[in-house]
Amino acid sequence: MAEAASDSGPDNSHKKGDVSGRTPSGGSALTAPAAEGGAGDIQLPAWTKALGWCGVAGLIYLLICAVSIISRGFAGLGSDAAHTMFAFAAHPWVGLSVGVLGTVLIQSSTTTTAIAVTAVGSGALPLQGAIPIILGANVGTTVTTSLVALTFIGDRAEFRKALGASTVHDFYNWLALLIFFPIELIWHPLEHISGTLTNALYGTDWLPNPAHFNFIRAATGPVEHGVIHATSHVSSTLGPLFTIVIGAVLILVAVRYLGKLLKLLMVGRARDILIKAVGRNAYLAMASGMAVTVVTQSSTITTSVLVPFAGAGILTPAQVYPVVVGSNLGTTFTVVFAAFAGVGQDAKIGLQTAFVHLIYNLFAIFVIYVIPLLRPVPLFCAESLARIASEHRWVLAVYLGTVFIALPALVIVLVGVL
């Protein structure tokens, strides 16, 4: 693990002869598929490859649709509950727990953050109460990617690789929270810096509303609306539940067959191109993660799509790591853009709340990733959890149930209700 940690830095460049050899995680993950059944030696006909890549594109589209469907299902089931919880989230520890649990329910940190920004912009929630919610939402959004990794649970080796890649997002956000939440409680740097930035930019009208160019939403809309329409004929509770189940089944199908296709197709030149795009330079990978998330308006989609690549051994957790970091930053722009369109007496403070999310993630990148001291910590924790959970499957259930549901709910009950 020490080797894994030391090789996860931003300069992930490899010598030309090492593209399919040593990886940033210090293992031979990238050589594994070639060794399994001689996959690296199979030469598929051109028409078979073309059909295969069409299948990959279709399955990725299905995966994106499935994530959106689950988000809509949870939103229909849990958004009212989230609004209700925000009403007593003035205590910072309660607000933090509301951010985590609310995002787990809604399955979208953008939605949770947007609700918090809207609540501040309407005067229903003070800025100091919204900041812990935003920090908690950053953590809660990671649970979906871990659930995607569960689709590999039938194969111990694939499950370990997929879980290591998915939970690096968890531990990166937990570490950021551990560092910045106490600092914000004591000195309020996020509040002060966001206030200065808002005073400089508010009213300039130079940022567009992302709702006007959400191409991904337009592309997935027909499937998403079809499922919503199909489940709308049952009760208001069962409808969202059926929607969630359908989305989960689609994820299971998409990830399972995507992994099989990738093992056949991602060999030779195709594999080298992907590794160079994601693993050759970490900062380019970070920029790619940010750009894809700005387009999809969901860090969950960005990170979930990478999990099958990791499970198939094509990408390592260390190569996924910077993409995750970039996606964290990319998800902040949606709310910032939307906040510029706010009107009314408290619209300015709503924009300041959106800037808190952006500044927090910029600080996290600098302190955790750019500075080498803390950079290996999330990767080491993710690979350690993956190693243990691959041997004892119940460990993952305890981890997810405790940190994402039981602990936040307990804090809300004990501190906010009693």
Side-chain angles (χ1 to χ4, degrees), residues 356-368:
V356 166
H357 195 199
L358 173 63
I359 295 167
Y360 170 64
N361 280 282
L362 284 172
F363 280 176
I365 290 174
F366 181 77
V367 173
I368 298 176

Side-chain angles (χ1 to χ4, degrees), residues 4-29:
S6 64
D7 282 335
S8 61
D11 185 11
N12 284 340
S13 59
H14 309 304
K15 295 180 181 179
K16 187 173 181 179
D18 289 337
V19 170
S20 60
R22 184 182 62 84
T23 70
S25 60
S28 57

Side-chain angles (χ1 to χ4, degrees), residues 46-360:
W47 66 270
T48 305
K49 288 182 179 180
L51 286 177
W53 284 115
C54 289
V56 168
L59 289 170
I60 289 177
Y61 171 76
L62 184 63
L63 179 60
I64 294 172
C65 290
V67 172
S68 300
I69 288 168
I70 288 180
S71 298
R72 286 288 297 270
F74 272 109
L77 186 66
S79 58
D80 291 340
H83 276 290
T84 302
M85 287 191 292
F86 289 164
F88 59 90
H91 191 285
W93 287 98
V94 175
L96 179 67
S97 300
V98 164
V100 174
L101 190 58
T103 305
V104 170
L105 292 176
I106 300 174
Q107 288 290 288
S108 171
S109 62
T110 301
T111 301
T112 306
T113 305
I115 291 174
V117 170
T118 303
V120 173
S122 64
L125 182 69
L127 174 63
Q128 294 80 3
I131 292 176
I133 294 174
I134 292 171
L135 270 56
N138 239 40
V139 172
T141 191
T142 65
V143 70
T144 304
T145 314
S146 298
L147 296 178
V148 172
L150 281 174
T151 59
F152 291 90
I153 200 167
D155 185 296
R156 180 173 295 176
E158 291 185 350
F159 179 56
R160 177 174 174 175
K161 288 180 282 190
L163 187 61
S166 64
T167 55
V168 72
H169 197 188
D170 299 32
F171 290 106
Y172 173 81
N173 284 336
W174 280 117
L175 182 58
L177 182 66
L178 184 65
I179 294 170
F180 291 105
F181 185 55
I183 293 175
E184 182 62 25
L185 289 181
I186 299 171
W187 292 294
H188 313 291
L190 296 176
E191 180 181 348
H192 298 321
I193 296 173
S194 63
T196 301
L197 188 60
T198 302
N199 290 333
L201 296 178
Y202 184 72
T204 58
D205 295 328
W206 63 276
L207 286 179
N209 189 330
H212 298 157
F213 58 92
N214 192 343
F215 304 116
I216 298 298
R217 179 66 68 186
T220 61
V223 176
E224 186 178 331
H225 293 314
V227 173
I228 297 298
H229 178 72
T231 58
S232 63
H233 303 293
V234 293
S235 69
S236 58
T237 300
L238 289 178
L241 284 175
F242 286 148
T243 301
I244 293 167
V245 170
I246 292 172
V249 171
L250 291 178
I251 285 181
L252 179 64
V253 171
V255 171
R256 172 166 295 187
Y257 289 101
L258 187 57
K260 292 181 182 296
L261 276 178
L262 289 173
K263 279 189 175 182
L264 291 174
L265 297 170
M266 293 303 296
V267 293
R269 181 176 177 82
R271 184 176 183 165
D272 291 347
I273 291 173
L274 178 64
I275 293 170
K276 288 177 182 178
V278 175
R280 181 59 68 98
N281 186 293
Y283 289 114
L284 289 178
M286 191 184 301
S288 299
M290 182 185 71
V292 170
T293 303
V294 169
V295 172
T296 62
Q297 299 188 24
S298 172
S299 61
T300 301
I301 289 175
T302 305
T303 53
S304 295
V305 166
L306 292 177
V307 173
F309 288 86
I314 296 164
L315 296 175
T316 67
Q319 290 170 320
V320 172
Y321 185 8
V323 183
V324 164
V325 172
S327 71
N328 251 26
L329 182 60
T331 195
T332 67
F333 288 102
T334 300
V335 179
V336 171
F337 291 165
F340 266 86
V343 294
Q345 180 178 352
D346 296 304
K348 185 175 182 179
I349 197 169
L351 176 62
Q352 181 180 352
T353 309
F355 275 137
V356 166
H357 195 199
L358 173 63
I359 295 167
Y360 170 64

